[in-house]
Amino acid sequence: MTIRVLIVDDQELIRIGFRLFLQTRGDLEVVGEAADGREAVERAAELRPDVVLMDVRMPRMDGVEATARLTAAGRPPRVLILTTYDLDEYVFGALRAGASGFLLKDAPRERLLEAIHVVHQGEALLSPSITRRLIEDYADRTDPVRPSPDLLTALTPREREMLLLVAQGLSNQEIAARLVVTEATVKSHVGSVFAKLHLRDRVQAVVLAYEHGIVVPGRRPDPR
């Protein structure tokens, strides 16, 4: 299957660089480019890309607003945020807006290819080392929302444990190793958590856990 990609960046040379590299891959098709968020929304509606590579700091409309508009539309594309700094203040907003992950612009080419395939498959690109720092840095600046009494009651004890481990940035493989279960078992439990809490992916699970105070930065989480 060919993955249709839309490149969004206000710097033309960066767009050209991404296009030239991605066009060398037989399973990727660059269907278009956009120089700002407003144009990205228009081009996405026209071209129907599978994955949008989204810059954050752009004129007219930034990547956060563009991501929110794209993910609110019917049949939304997966949005992969591209940033220069791993603690860019816009990135957390983009994750909350529905982005499927983020990647540093200076990441190796192989990492970019991996990221595109990961988000296209419906997974979230959550690098534990970067995501943990970013989420914790911004979560402790905002007051957590008191969780609804029904928020966690629908989850089994094991599912609550899964949510906490996902919120810490652990991959399915890492969770399986920690709990001494199979990766298939972890995928089943995590999928059930997403379905019960109406979450699209791991990014939304992380944001929910921190925003509602289920996980507090610097404090060891209690799955009970």
Short mmCIF file of all heavy atoms in Angstrom, two decimals, residues 174-209:
data_model
loop_
_atom_site.label_atom_id
_atom_site.label_comp_id
_atom_site.label_asym_id
_atom_site.label_seq_id
_atom_site.Cartn_x
_atom_site.Cartn_y
_atom_site.Cartn_z
N GLU A 174 7.79 -3.10 26.34
CA GLU A 174 8.28 -2.79 27.69
C GLU A 174 7.25 -3.14 28.75
O GLU A 174 7.60 -3.63 29.83
CB GLU A 174 8.65 -1.31 27.77
CG GLU A 174 9.88 -0.95 26.94
CD GLU A 174 10.08 0.55 26.81
OE1 GLU A 174 9.09 1.30 26.86
OE2 GLU A 174 11.25 0.98 26.66
N ILE A 175 5.98 -2.89 28.46
CA ILE A 175 4.92 -3.23 29.42
C ILE A 175 4.85 -4.75 29.59
O ILE A 175 4.72 -5.26 30.71
CB ILE A 175 3.56 -2.69 28.93
CG1 ILE A 175 3.57 -1.16 28.95
CG2 ILE A 175 2.43 -3.21 29.82
CD1 ILE A 175 2.32 -0.53 28.35
N ALA A 176 4.96 -5.48 28.49
CA ALA A 176 4.91 -6.94 28.56
C ALA A 176 6.04 -7.48 29.42
O ALA A 176 5.85 -8.39 30.23
CB ALA A 176 4.98 -7.52 27.15
N ALA A 177 7.23 -6.90 29.26
CA ALA A 177 8.38 -7.35 30.05
C ALA A 177 8.18 -7.04 31.53
O ALA A 177 8.51 -7.86 32.39
CB ALA A 177 9.66 -6.69 29.53
N ARG A 178 7.64 -5.87 31.83
CA ARG A 178 7.46 -5.48 33.23
C ARG A 178 6.40 -6.34 33.92
O ARG A 178 6.56 -6.72 35.08
CB ARG A 178 7.06 -4.01 33.32
CG ARG A 178 6.77 -3.54 34.74
CD ARG A 178 6.56 -2.06 34.85
NE ARG A 178 7.75 -1.31 34.49
CZ ARG A 178 7.90 0.00 34.72
NH1 ARG A 178 6.93 0.67 35.31
NH2 ARG A 178 9.00 0.61 34.37
N LEU A 179 5.32 -6.66 33.20
CA LEU A 179 4.22 -7.41 33.81
C LEU A 179 4.34 -8.91 33.59
O LEU A 179 3.50 -9.67 34.09
CB LEU A 179 2.89 -6.91 33.25
CG LEU A 179 2.56 -5.43 33.48
CD1 LEU A 179 1.20 -5.09 32.90
CD2 LEU A 179 2.61 -5.09 34.97
N VAL A 180 5.37 -9.32 32.85
CA VAL A 180 5.61 -10.73 32.54
C VAL A 180 4.37 -11.34 31.88
O VAL A 180 3.80 -12.35 32.34
CB VAL A 180 5.98 -11.53 33.81
CG1 VAL A 180 6.58 -12.88 33.43
CG2 VAL A 180 6.97 -10.75 34.68
N VAL A 181 3.93 -10.71 30.81
CA VAL A 181 2.84 -11.22 30.00
C VAL A 181 3.27 -11.11 28.54
O VAL A 181 4.31 -10.53 28.23
CB VAL A 181 1.53 -10.42 30.22
CG1 VAL A 181 1.05 -10.56 31.67
CG2 VAL A 181 1.73 -8.94 29.88
N THR A 182 2.47 -11.64 27.64
CA THR A 182 2.81 -11.56 26.23
C THR A 182 2.45 -10.18 25.68
O THR A 182 1.59 -9.47 26.22
CB THR A 182 2.06 -12.62 25.41
OG1 THR A 182 0.65 -12.33 25.43
CG2 THR A 182 2.30 -14.01 25.98
N GLU A 183 3.12 -9.82 24.59
CA GLU A 183 2.83 -8.53 23.96
C GLU A 183 1.41 -8.52 23.41
O GLU A 183 0.74 -7.47 23.40
CB GLU A 183 3.83 -8.27 22.84
CG GLU A 183 3.84 -6.84 22.34
CD GLU A 183 5.01 -6.53 21.43
OE1 GLU A 183 5.99 -7.32 21.43
OE2 GLU A 183 4.95 -5.51 20.72
N ALA A 184 0.92 -9.67 22.97
CA ALA A 184 -0.45 -9.76 22.46
C ALA A 184 -1.46 -9.44 23.57
O ALA A 184 -2.48 -8.79 23.34
CB ALA A 184 -0.72 -11.15 21.90
N THR A 185 -1.15 -9.90 24.79
CA THR A 185 -2.02 -9.61 25.93
C THR A 185 -2.05 -8.11 26.22
O THR A 185 -3.11 -7.54 26.48
CB THR A 185 -1.54 -10.36 27.18
OG1 THR A 185 -1.62 -11.77 26.95
CG2 THR A 185 -2.38 -10.01 28.40
N VAL A 186 -0.89 -7.48 26.15
CA VAL A 186 -0.81 -6.04 26.37
C VAL A 186 -1.64 -5.30 25.32
O VAL A 186 -2.42 -4.41 25.65
CB VAL A 186 0.65 -5.55 26.32
CG1 VAL A 186 0.70 -4.02 26.39
CG2 VAL A 186 1.45 -6.15 27.46
N LYS A 187 -1.49 -5.68 24.05
CA LYS A 187 -2.23 -5.02 22.98
C LYS A 187 -3.73 -5.15 23.20
O LYS A 187 -4.49 -4.20 22.96
CB LYS A 187 -1.85 -5.64 21.63
CG LYS A 187 -0.45 -5.29 21.15
CD LYS A 187 -0.17 -5.90 19.79
CE LYS A 187 1.23 -5.54 19.30
NZ LYS A 187 1.51 -6.16 17.97
N SER A 188 -4.16 -6.31 23.67
CA SER A 188 -5.58 -6.53 23.92
C SER A 188 -6.10 -5.61 25.03
O SER A 188 -7.15 -4.97 24.90
CB SER A 188 -5.82 -7.99 24.30
OG SER A 188 -7.18 -8.21 24.63
N HIS A 189 -5.35 -5.53 26.14
CA HIS A 189 -5.76 -4.68 27.25
C HIS A 189 -5.73 -3.19 26.87
O HIS A 189 -6.64 -2.44 27.21
CB HIS A 189 -4.86 -4.92 28.46
CG HIS A 189 -5.14 -6.19 29.19
ND1 HIS A 189 -6.39 -6.52 29.66
CD2 HIS A 189 -4.33 -7.22 29.56
CE1 HIS A 189 -6.34 -7.69 30.27
NE2 HIS A 189 -5.09 -8.14 30.22
N VAL A 190 -4.67 -2.78 26.18
CA VAL A 190 -4.55 -1.38 25.79
C VAL A 190 -5.68 -1.01 24.83
O VAL A 190 -6.29 0.07 24.94
CB VAL A 190 -3.18 -1.11 25.13
CG1 VAL A 190 -3.15 0.28 24.51
CG2 VAL A 190 -2.07 -1.24 26.17
N GLY A 191 -6.00 -1.90 23.90
CA GLY A 191 -7.11 -1.64 22.98
C GLY A 191 -8.42 -1.49 23.71
O GLY A 191 -9.26 -0.65 23.36
N SER A 192 -8.62 -2.29 24.75
CA SER A 192 -9.84 -2.19 25.55
C SER A 192 -9.91 -0.86 26.30
O SER A 192 -10.97 -0.24 26.39
CB SER A 192 -9.89 -3.35 26.56
OG SER A 192 -11.07 -3.28 27.34
N VAL A 193 -8.76 -0.40 26.81
CA VAL A 193 -8.71 0.91 27.49
C VAL A 193 -9.10 2.01 26.53
O VAL A 193 -9.92 2.89 26.85
CB VAL A 193 -7.30 1.17 28.05
CG1 VAL A 193 -7.18 2.62 28.54
CG2 VAL A 193 -6.98 0.22 29.19
N PHE A 194 -8.54 1.98 25.33
CA PHE A 194 -8.84 3.02 24.34
C PHE A 194 -10.33 3.02 24.00
O PHE A 194 -10.95 4.08 23.88
CB PHE A 194 -8.03 2.79 23.07
CG PHE A 194 -6.56 3.03 23.23
CD1 PHE A 194 -5.68 2.74 22.19
CD2 PHE A 194 -6.03 3.54 24.40
CE1 PHE A 194 -4.32 2.97 22.32
CE2 PHE A 194 -4.67 3.76 24.55
CZ PHE A 194 -3.82 3.47 23.51
N ALA A 195 -10.90 1.82 23.84
CA ALA A 195 -12.31 1.73 23.47
C ALA A 195 -13.22 2.26 24.59
O ALA A 195 -14.15 3.03 24.34
CB ALA A 195 -12.67 0.28 23.15
N LYS A 196 -12.91 1.90 25.83
CA LYS A 196 -13.76 2.31 26.95
C LYS A 196 -13.66 3.81 27.24
O LYS A 196 -14.64 4.44 27.65
CB LYS A 196 -13.39 1.52 28.21
CG LYS A 196 -13.78 0.05 28.16
CD LYS A 196 -13.40 -0.67 29.45
CE LYS A 196 -13.83 -2.12 29.42
NZ LYS A 196 -13.48 -2.83 30.68
N LEU A 197 -12.48 4.38 27.02
CA LEU A 197 -12.28 5.81 27.31
C LEU A 197 -12.38 6.67 26.06
O LEU A 197 -12.15 7.88 26.12
CB LEU A 197 -10.90 6.03 27.97
CG LEU A 197 -10.69 5.32 29.32
CD1 LEU A 197 -9.32 5.68 29.89
CD2 LEU A 197 -11.79 5.68 30.31
N HIS A 198 -12.75 6.04 24.94
CA HIS A 198 -12.93 6.75 23.67
C HIS A 198 -11.66 7.50 23.27
O HIS A 198 -11.69 8.68 22.91
CB HIS A 198 -14.11 7.73 23.75
CG HIS A 198 -15.39 7.09 24.22
ND1 HIS A 198 -16.10 6.20 23.44
CD2 HIS A 198 -16.06 7.20 25.40
CE1 HIS A 198 -17.17 5.80 24.10
NE2 HIS A 198 -17.16 6.37 25.29
N LEU A 199 -10.55 6.79 23.33
CA LEU A 199 -9.25 7.36 22.97
C LEU A 199 -8.83 6.82 21.62
O LEU A 199 -9.04 5.65 21.31
CB LEU A 199 -8.20 6.99 24.02
CG LEU A 199 -8.50 7.42 25.46
CD1 LEU A 199 -7.48 6.82 26.41
CD2 LEU A 199 -8.49 8.94 25.56
N ARG A 200 -8.20 7.70 20.82
CA ARG A 200 -7.79 7.28 19.49
C ARG A 200 -6.48 6.51 19.53
O ARG A 200 -6.27 5.57 18.77
CB ARG A 200 -7.64 8.50 18.57
CG ARG A 200 -7.40 8.14 17.10
CD ARG A 200 -7.07 9.36 16.25
NE ARG A 200 -5.80 9.95 16.68
CZ ARG A 200 -5.70 11.14 17.26
NH1 ARG A 200 -6.77 11.85 17.50
NH2 ARG A 200 -4.51 11.62 17.60
N ASP A 201 -5.53 6.94 20.40
CA ASP A 201 -4.22 6.31 20.41
C ASP A 201 -3.50 6.61 21.72
O ASP A 201 -4.09 7.16 22.65
CB ASP A 201 -3.38 6.78 19.21
CG ASP A 201 -3.28 8.31 19.13
OD1 ASP A 201 -3.27 8.96 20.20
OD2 ASP A 201 -3.20 8.85 18.02
N ARG A 202 -2.22 6.26 21.79
CA ARG A 202 -1.44 6.41 23.01
C ARG A 202 -1.21 7.87 23.38
O ARG A 202 -1.11 8.20 24.56
CB ARG A 202 -0.10 5.69 22.85
CG ARG A 202 -0.25 4.21 22.58
CD ARG A 202 1.10 3.60 22.23
NE ARG A 202 1.85 3.25 23.41
CZ ARG A 202 1.76 2.07 24.03
NH1 ARG A 202 0.93 1.15 23.58
NH2 ARG A 202 2.49 1.82 25.08
N VAL A 203 -1.13 8.74 22.39
CA VAL A 203 -0.96 10.15 22.68
C VAL A 203 -2.13 10.66 23.50
O VAL A 203 -1.96 11.33 24.53
CB VAL A 203 -0.82 10.98 21.39
CG1 VAL A 203 -0.88 12.47 21.69
CG2 VAL A 203 0.48 10.65 20.68
N GLN A 204 -3.34 10.36 23.07
CA GLN A 204 -4.51 10.81 23.81
C GLN A 204 -4.56 10.18 25.20
O GLN A 204 -5.00 10.83 26.16
CB GLN A 204 -5.79 10.46 23.04
CG GLN A 204 -5.99 11.30 21.80
CD GLN A 204 -7.38 11.14 21.22
OE1 GLN A 204 -8.08 10.16 21.49
NE2 GLN A 204 -7.79 12.09 20.40
N ALA A 205 -4.09 8.95 25.34
CA ALA A 205 -4.07 8.31 26.65
C ALA A 205 -3.11 9.03 27.59
O ALA A 205 -3.41 9.25 28.77
CB ALA A 205 -3.66 6.84 26.51
N VAL A 206 -1.93 9.40 27.08
CA VAL A 206 -0.96 10.13 27.89
C VAL A 206 -1.51 11.47 28.33
O VAL A 206 -1.44 11.86 29.50
CB VAL A 206 0.36 10.31 27.11
CG1 VAL A 206 1.30 11.25 27.86
CG2 VAL A 206 1.04 8.97 26.89
N VAL A 207 -2.07 12.22 27.38
CA VAL A 207 -2.61 13.54 27.69
C VAL A 207 -3.74 13.43 28.71
O VAL A 207 -3.80 14.21 29.67
CB VAL A 207 -3.10 14.24 26.41
CG1 VAL A 207 -3.83 15.53 26.74
CG2 VAL A 207 -1.92 14.54 25.48
N LEU A 208 -4.64 12.47 28.52
CA LEU A 208 -5.74 12.30 29.47
C LEU A 208 -5.23 12.00 30.87
O LEU A 208 -5.70 12.57 31.87
CB LEU A 208 -6.66 11.16 29.00
CG LEU A 208 -7.84 10.80 29.92
CD1 LEU A 208 -9.07 10.45 29.10
CD2 LEU A 208 -7.48 9.64 30.84
N ALA A 209 -4.25 11.12 30.97
CA ALA A 209 -3.74 10.72 32.28
C ALA A 209 -3.11 11.90 33.02
O ALA A 209 -3.30 12.07 34.23
CB ALA A 209 -2.72 9.59 32.12
#
